Amino acid sequence: MSVKQYIQENQDRFLNELLDLLRIPSVSADPKFKNDVFAAADFVKESLIKAGADKAEICQTAGYPIVYGEKIIDPALPTVLVYGHYDVQPADPYELWDSPPFEPIIKKTERHPDGAIFARGSADDKGQFYMHVKAFEAMMANNALPCNIKFMIEGEEEVGSENLDIFVKENLEKLKADVVIVSDTHMISMEDPSVTVGLRGLAYMQVEVTGPNKDLHSGTFGGAVANPINTLCKMIASLHDENNHVTIPGFYDKVEEYSAAYREELNKAPFDLEDYKKKLDIAEVSGEKGYTTIERVGIRPTLDVNGIWGGYTGEGAKTVLPSKAFAKISMRLVPNQDHKEIAKLFEDHFKSIAPASVKVKVISHHGGAAAVVPTDSPGYRAAEGAIMEAFGKKAIPTREGGSIPICALFQKVMGLDPILLGFGLDTDALHSPNEHYGLKNYFMGIETIALFFKHFKEEANK
Amino acid sequence: MSVKQYIQENQDRFLNELLDLLRIPSVSADPKFKNDVFAAADFVKESLIKAGADKAEICQTAGYPIVYGEKIIDPALPTVLVYGHYDVQPADPYELWDSPPFEPIIKKTERHPDGAIFARGSADDKGQFYMHVKAFEAMMANNALPCNIKFMIEGEEEVGSENLDIFVKENLEKLKADVVIVSDTHMISMEDPSVTVGLRGLAYMQVEVTGPNKDLHSGTFGGAVANPINTLCKMIASLHDENNHVTIPGFYDKVEEYSAAYREELNKAPFDLEDYKKKLDIAEVSGEKGYTTIERVGIRPTLDVNGIWGGYTGEGAKTVLPSKAFAKISMRLVPNQDHKEIAKLFEDHFKSIAPASVKVKVISHHGGAAAVVPTDSPGYRAAEGAIMEAFGKKAIPTREGGSIPICALFQKVMGLDPILLGFGLDTDALHSPNEHYGLKNYFMGIETIALFFKHFKEEANK
């Protein structure tokens, strides 16, 4: 039996195993799901052993554990390191989900006529890293594993991967590999398969603005005492100028300006602006002046408020002049922008623009560097070869707006360019209610990943 | 026995009755307290009967009932109408209360060395309208009621008094009086007793800004799609210019500009800016350029955000570009500004400044007109006389920043200027956690109110 046949014959089981994993609410950001995050780690370890790993272990960290597994068939052969994460984003707001986020169901959609799995984590990243476990099983079951394989599946990707950072630095020998492969990104479409070659970095901040020392009656004091919400709004508004450039001094200092030729190449990727606006139900896109939508998410840094709160937010009216207002603000970064430096620039600037009538606190939640992957490596060529064989098309290299902070670490500490071979779509509602992942994407992904191993052995030996 | 003696001998009972009333969480803004609001109305009715009313009744409305009571001793005598409200503001945020908001306790404070009652509604307005019930009882018990008395105590003051408006218009004959007296304001201090002669109006709005049709991943879409929180902040920031003037076109059209002489008189009221800042723990006050703090809350309209929310507000970090952001925004108005007109100006302006990349919804929660009371009426002179007799000082006329929308109705529909004889202090944390009301203020208030009746009979007969 071929690997491809094996995958087809085991589709039902491959799907049901993933659904079991999706039923575990492994939300790393919220301590109330702590036991579930640990349970998900156990699930991953067991699945590696069942798939054929020589060993699989739960590696404890100061936070959530890293699951490590390996199958070394011959030290002389090339080694592929698979990275993924078993933690998921919070599912809030629950009321916007059409079905409960941790009770996966299959439904057809316009872009997934064969059905998609609706569940938090289906695309990010349980459904995607689990393709590697199943591709590994399929190769093992058919005596067709062409390279050594190592797995490193973490539980803190959605909260900054701080402990993975330490783990990688302390386990360089154990993790030694010739390439690292990550399926945690999306492709343009099943008709236009693509490989991500750029990811943005991230600096995630939280700010607190305090006006008076207690909530006040907005009649007795309104107009005479600074309102921290009005003040926070003014401060946030001032972080962009009229062209939507970020106004933090030094923010763009290290941002690379690309040549007209490079930008032209980037804009050749299939993209339909009218369709994009229609899907999001917006009349206009909005972003930095002088750049296209593809450039705005691919090669430009941004600043977004991810959450804001203060004062009375219940039913009806309360005439309060609140003591405090809060916001979560994150910046997506591009190569060369250091997230710690940007976090510091933000903090200094935010404090400097606060009027004397309020006090300001700034804390940094987490961050990570951007990454750009070259397209002339054996790993990239192997990804191209696998996609050509599975999809019959040449992969389009794309730059994606999201962040996988650990990618920069792979490059800096391990000297490995990560191959970002993702199979989700940008309409899969990652980090949103009703996240889903196409069944066809899942099964084609497993097949393509198995082909990647075959091509990588060939490319590595060239 | 004199009325004063009676009040002194019954202090404990007068206090305990008020504490019972404060234990009823009659929050009119929040439907979950519905039964409690009705229970508070019953309490008020019973208390009027016990105090000596000829009749007291629960008058149903489309919302919460109005308690009406009266004692007519002689149709030829002048009649005093007492207005107050038994509903209270929401107690949120509960965690900032040092003791539960509906379990009153007595504690001493710097400004209340004899002790103060800590509970939601203690100063606003249960503790204040209940002084009238007890002054009435004291006068009745001593055969010393010099005028007829009518009570109209409502349950919707904190949500806009819409049904009171209808009730007053439909019961003009029943409510007929020579003066209306309201204790729902504050005085400068026990050393500087004052009578409020101006109140601001209110227009309370809620806005909703929608960007994309669902929450998005801030990496995949950030920088290319308008973020409704950033957009809302920008829109809110633009509602004030660099001098803290409100920028809504037409907002100031009907605002009266006062003469230098009037403003000078207004600023003669005792006010210590350093002490004010110290109590609120702020380094600087903040408000409309060209006006003092007293003017900013007394004679100038304002715009304050009372609440804001959107995106992820839980623990940790979530990289979401939310679909929606919300804010509650209220404007305090001055005489001649029509709250319905201002609500419309706000709505039109807010929609006009929305960029094409978002959709905006605006709703109006409630509103009310400002009021200014002349100081040459029999009622005002009676208040002056009562304060002089009780405190040994001449009352200072002040303009207060809060709103009692019904006051304008008394003037317009009943032709009566309300006498705003309040005994709270501006540090009593109205609408805030740890609201309290001084014991001395409560007992002195009862005594002063009884004196008001004596003086009013004299003034009305002059």
Side-chain angles (χ1 to χ4, degrees), chain A residues 50 69 93 97 178 190 218 228 235 258 275 329 355 438:
Chain A
K50 278 186 218 154
W97 284 77
D178 297 286
M190 294 296 268
S218 74
M235 292 170 75
Y258 292 93
D275 186 54
I329 300 173

Tab-separated table of all heavy atoms in Angstrom, chain A residues 50 69 93 97 178 190 218 228 235 258 275 329 355 438:
chain	number	residue	atom	x	y	z
A	50	LYS	N	1.842	6.229	19.664
A	50	LYS	CA	1.007	5.356	18.823
A	50	LYS	C	1.406	5.443	17.343
A	50	LYS	O	1.310	4.458	16.606
A	50	LYS	CB	-0.460	5.744	18.963
A	50	LYS	CG	-1.124	5.148	20.191
A	50	LYS	CD	-2.622	5.439	20.189
A	50	LYS	CE	-3.115	5.724	21.593
A	50	LYS	NZ	-4.312	6.561	21.633
A	69	GLY	N	9.244	14.310	20.896
A	69	GLY	CA	9.227	12.914	20.443
A	69	GLY	C	10.189	12.760	19.278
A	69	GLY	O	10.549	13.749	18.624
A	93	PRO	N	-15.503	36.017	22.327
A	93	PRO	CA	-16.797	35.947	23.024
A	93	PRO	C	-17.609	34.718	22.607
A	93	PRO	O	-17.921	34.564	21.430
A	93	PRO	CB	-17.490	37.239	22.573
A	93	PRO	CG	-16.859	37.560	21.240
A	93	PRO	CD	-15.491	36.952	21.213
A	97	TRP	N	-20.256	32.364	18.815
A	97	TRP	CA	-20.052	31.061	18.153
A	97	TRP	C	-21.413	30.461	17.795
A	97	TRP	O	-22.343	30.475	18.599
A	97	TRP	CB	-19.314	30.107	19.103
A	97	TRP	CG	-17.847	30.387	19.253
A	97	TRP	CD1	-17.274	31.382	19.986
A	97	TRP	CD2	-16.762	29.648	18.658
A	97	TRP	NE1	-15.898	31.304	19.890
A	97	TRP	CE2	-15.559	30.258	19.086
A	97	TRP	CE3	-16.695	28.538	17.815
A	97	TRP	CZ2	-14.301	29.782	18.692
A	97	TRP	CZ3	-15.433	28.077	17.441
A	97	TRP	CH2	-14.253	28.696	17.859
A	178	ASP	N	18.167	19.205	10.354
A	178	ASP	CA	18.605	19.858	9.117
A	178	ASP	C	17.584	20.873	8.624
A	178	ASP	O	17.892	21.711	7.787
A	178	ASP	CB	18.857	18.784	8.052
A	178	ASP	CG	19.979	17.857	8.478
A	178	ASP	OD1	21.145	18.283	8.430
A	178	ASP	OD2	19.671	16.734	8.943
A	190	MET	N	-6.781	26.599	-2.188
A	190	MET	CA	-6.425	25.263	-2.663
A	190	MET	C	-6.028	25.322	-4.145
A	190	MET	O	-5.294	24.475	-4.634
A	190	MET	CB	-7.614	24.306	-2.473
A	190	MET	CG	-7.966	24.049	-1.015
A	190	MET	SD	-6.652	23.211	-0.093
A	190	MET	CE	-7.160	21.497	-0.332
A	218	SER	N	-20.297	62.101	37.360
A	218	SER	CA	-19.885	62.874	36.182
A	218	SER	C	-20.576	64.229	36.101
A	218	SER	O	-20.197	65.068	35.299
A	218	SER	CB	-20.150	62.082	34.907
A	218	SER	OG	-21.539	62.055	34.618
A	228	PRO	N	-10.358	59.624	32.486
A	228	PRO	CA	-9.305	58.746	31.963
A	228	PRO	C	-9.692	58.055	30.654
A	228	PRO	O	-8.799	57.717	29.871
A	228	PRO	CB	-9.102	57.725	33.084
A	228	PRO	CG	-10.326	57.786	33.915
A	228	PRO	CD	-10.853	59.182	33.787
A	235	MET	N	-4.965	59.665	23.641
A	235	MET	CA	-3.599	59.136	23.549
A	235	MET	C	-3.515	58.068	22.453
A	235	MET	O	-2.585	58.061	21.643
A	235	MET	CB	-3.174	58.564	24.908
A	235	MET	CG	-3.009	59.646	25.977
A	235	MET	SD	-2.797	58.958	27.648
A	235	MET	CE	-1.096	58.375	27.570
A	258	TYR	N	11.496	48.235	0.869
A	258	TYR	CA	11.773	47.312	-0.223
A	258	TYR	C	11.813	48.010	-1.575
A	258	TYR	O	11.209	49.067	-1.757
A	258	TYR	CB	10.740	46.192	-0.230
A	258	TYR	CG	10.882	45.280	0.962
A	258	TYR	CD1	10.158	45.494	2.125
A	258	TYR	CD2	11.793	44.220	0.928
A	258	TYR	CE1	10.307	44.673	3.230
A	258	TYR	CE2	11.949	43.387	2.036
A	258	TYR	CZ	11.200	43.620	3.181
A	258	TYR	OH	11.362	42.816	4.264
A	275	ASP	N	-13.566	41.148	-3.407
A	275	ASP	CA	-13.957	39.924	-2.717
A	275	ASP	C	-13.572	39.989	-1.231
A	275	ASP	O	-14.324	39.586	-0.344
A	275	ASP	CB	-13.278	38.739	-3.407
A	275	ASP	CG	-13.754	37.413	-2.845
A	275	ASP	OD1	-14.979	37.203	-2.826
A	275	ASP	OD2	-12.905	36.611	-2.417
A	329	ILE	N	-2.784	46.832	23.672
A	329	ILE	CA	-2.341	47.385	22.391
A	329	ILE	C	-1.184	46.540	21.877
A	329	ILE	O	-0.210	46.324	22.598
A	329	ILE	CB	-1.885	48.852	22.563
A	329	ILE	CG1	-3.037	49.709	23.090
A	329	ILE	CG2	-1.329	49.411	21.257
A	329	ILE	CD1	-2.630	51.143	23.462
A	355	PRO	N	-1.076	63.580	29.687
A	355	PRO	CA	-1.159	64.904	30.317
A	355	PRO	C	-0.933	64.797	31.829
A	355	PRO	O	-1.059	63.714	32.409
A	355	PRO	CB	-2.583	65.354	30.004
A	355	PRO	CG	-3.354	64.111	29.707
A	355	PRO	CD	-2.372	63.113	29.171
A	438	GLY	N	-10.675	23.236	6.910
A	438	GLY	CA	-11.273	22.391	5.877
A	438	GLY	C	-10.825	20.931	5.974
A	438	GLY	O	-9.651	20.652	6.220
